[in-house]
Amino acid sequence: MVTEARQAALAVVRPYLRGYSALIFCNNDLAGLLILAVTFLRPEVGAAGLLSAVVAYLTARHLGYAEVEQPPEIYNALLVGLELGAIWQMTPLMIAIIVVTAMVTAIATHVLAVWLWRFDRLPVMSLTFVLIMWAFLLVARDTETLPLANHVPFPAFSPHWLNDFFSTLGWFLATPHPAAGLAMFLAMLVTSRYLALLCVSGYLVGVAVVWALGSSVSPGVVGYNFMLAPMAVAGLFAFPDRISFLWGLFAALISAVLVIAFTGPLSGVHLPPLAAPFLFASYLVMAGLSSRPGGRSPHLLLHAPALPERSLLAARLARARLGEPGSYPVLLPCFGTWKISQGIDGPHTHRGPWRDAFDFIIVDEQGHSFRGDSARLGSYHAFG
């Protein structure tokens, strides 16, 4: 009875834990629990995020949206709730706003996910969070009924470069506390050391780009874009290898340039870049790679993203079976002894998009594939 009750309780809370861990592309319950605890370094922020996540998930369940391991409705609504709780005080009006925006986020996330997949098989990631927050910030400019939250300075780590790194990571949770970033990084290490490596590498590339271009933009506030881009491109949505790693760093470079490009125009309308640079950079690289001819590295996993260690194991297994990463093992749709009458770049029809097809036939002792009238399907040994 105790075991059954524990399993039932875990089934209830697991979607939320996976939603929290999805913020750093993990799917570990312990990582989700750690991130959940981190958001409560500022209790009002943590409460707003949790309320938003619960409302969004209940909305998605009520509407009958498909159950997935890491519901995008949860982590998008979670980010919206965290941001709202960090900017404004938790008044009754703000609580009502969080509930409504969470419901809108759940619906919008589902719609955008369907559209992006049909457009170019792209994942929705945190796109809904960016769009919902931009819309609400534009609305909130003209209202005085929402009191701003009081910000208390967080303690700093030493040395300063370590404090900058962890604080930057914490900004994604609207909690720029170095302890928050440290906990998130530990959650990455628990789940995937390769994701942690991509996080650090992307941050170094982004900071180097900002420094090289002499920009006045502070990487501390929006630097998580540099981290998330390679984690998505090279960690979650591609098989890990040297080429995908380089493409991940290229995505980090693009996101750094976009951070600089977006900051000026958006500040003119009092909007922060949020995760938009990371999304634009990731979509550009993934769409560009997915439009190539098949069989080339890096092999994308847009249809079935997975942790890099798990993807690497699948790739090694595929090669051991004489296949390519991402290929689908199939059995011949026949039994007995058959002959291939035409194969790759055959003399008749196997050209262009159809070059990789095989034609299978049955032949008799004389090498004939039919007996009797060749115009009748039933005359062929392979018919049926």
Side-chain angles (χ1 to χ4, degrees):
M1 292 295 293
V2 175
T3 302
E4 293 179 358
R6 184 180 303 170
Q7 291 177 347
L10 184 59
V12 172
V13 302
R14 173 161 283 168
Y16 300 104
L17 295 179
R18 293 295 170 89
Y20 274 83
S21 65
L23 297 181
I24 52 174
F25 304 113
C26 299
N27 63 348
N28 184 288
D29 292 342
L30 179 59
L33 184 61
L34 187 57
I35 296 174
L36 169 62
V38 162
T39 62
F40 279 87
L41 284 173
R42 294 171 63 181
E44 68 280 5
V45 175
L50 183 58
L51 172 62
S52 185
V54 170
V55 172
Y57 184 60
L58 294 178
T59 302
R61 289 285 300 273
H62 174 73
L63 294 174
Y65 295 158
E67 292 276 351
V68 294
E69 187 177 30
Q70 291 181 291
E73 297 87 3
I74 287 185
Y75 61 77
N76 273 279
L78 169 61
L79 287 170
V80 171
L82 292 174
E83 201 73 24
L84 293 175
I87 298 175
W88 290 282
Q89 295 182 19
M90 288 288 285
T91 62
L93 176 59
M94 178 49 62
I95 293 175
I97 289 174
I98 291 174
V99 171
V100 173
T101 54
M103 296 175 65
V104 173
T105 300
I107 298 172
T109 299
H110 178 76
V111 172
L112 288 174
V114 173
W115 287 353
L116 285 170
W117 184 256
R118 290 177 179 175
F119 171 68
D120 206 4
R121 299 189 304 162
L122 295 175
V124 66
M125 294 191 286
S126 53
L127 177 60
T128 319
F129 154 64
V130 173
L131 297 178
I132 294 293
M133 278 307 305
W134 277 352
F136 187 79
L137 287 169
L138 290 174
V139 171
R141 289 187 311 172
D142 299 323
T143 179
E144 298 179 356
T145 58
L146 298 175
L148 296 176
N150 297 318
H151 293 281
V152 178
F154 291 120
F157 278 4
S158 183
H160 69 86
W161 57 267
L162 193 61
N163 178 79
D164 292 344
F165 173 78
F166 288 132
S167 296
T168 299
L169 194 54
W171 266 108
F172 193 52
L173 296 181
T175 308
H177 194 303
L182 175 60
M184 292 175 68
F185 193 72
L186 290 176
M188 285 184 215
L189 287 174
V190 167
T191 308
S192 170
R193 287 177 292 178
Y194 191 71
L195 282 179
L197 173 63
L198 289 169
C199 176
V200 174
S201 302
Y203 177 75
L204 293 176
V205 168
V207 171
V209 170
V210 173
W211 175 81
L213 295 178
S215 173
S216 60
V217 173
S218 172
V221 179
V222 288
Y224 56 78
N225 285 278
F226 320 152
M227 304 173 177
L228 296 176
M231 291 170 66
V233 171
L236 195 70
F237 295 103
F239 282 105
D241 56 24
R242 295 177 182 176
I243 297 178
S244 65
F245 185 84
L246 293 176
W247 276 111
L249 296 186
F250 181 65
L253 185 151
I254 296 175
S255 67
V257 174
L258 291 178
V259 162
I260 299 172
F262 288 0
T263 299
L266 289 176
S267 63
V269 289
H270 306 288
L271 293 179
L274 298 177
F278 141 66
L279 291 167
F280 276 74
S282 299
Y283 286 152
L284 175 64
V285 174
M286 287 192 286
L289 293 176
S290 67
S291 63
R292 303 164 302 154
R296 297 185 179 184
S297 181
H299 303 279
L300 296 184
L301 290 166
L302 298 177
H303 63 289
L307 290 174
E309 286 80 4
R310 192 175 300 174
S311 300
L312 183 60
L313 180 62
R316 288 175 177 172
L317 184 60
R319 291 192 176 101
R321 293 173 173 172
L322 305 181
E324 285 296 324
S327 61
Y328 293 94
V330 295
L331 292 174
L332 290 177
C334 55
F335 297 96
T337 302
W338 292 58
K339 180 181 178 180
I340 297 177
S341 64
Q342 193 176 184
I344 299 174
D345 290 329
H348 305 299
T349 59
H350 290 228
R351 303 285 177 153
W354 302 275
R355 68 180 300 271
D356 295 317
F358 290 90
D359 290 345
F360 295 93
I361 60 173
I362 297 177
V363 297
D364 54 24
E365 292 80 2
Q366 290 74 36
H368 298 145
S369 61
F370 65 93
R371 178 180 299 168
D373 185 3
S374 62
R376 293 180 62 253
L377 291 176
S379 300
Y380 288 84
H381 305 310
F383 180 72

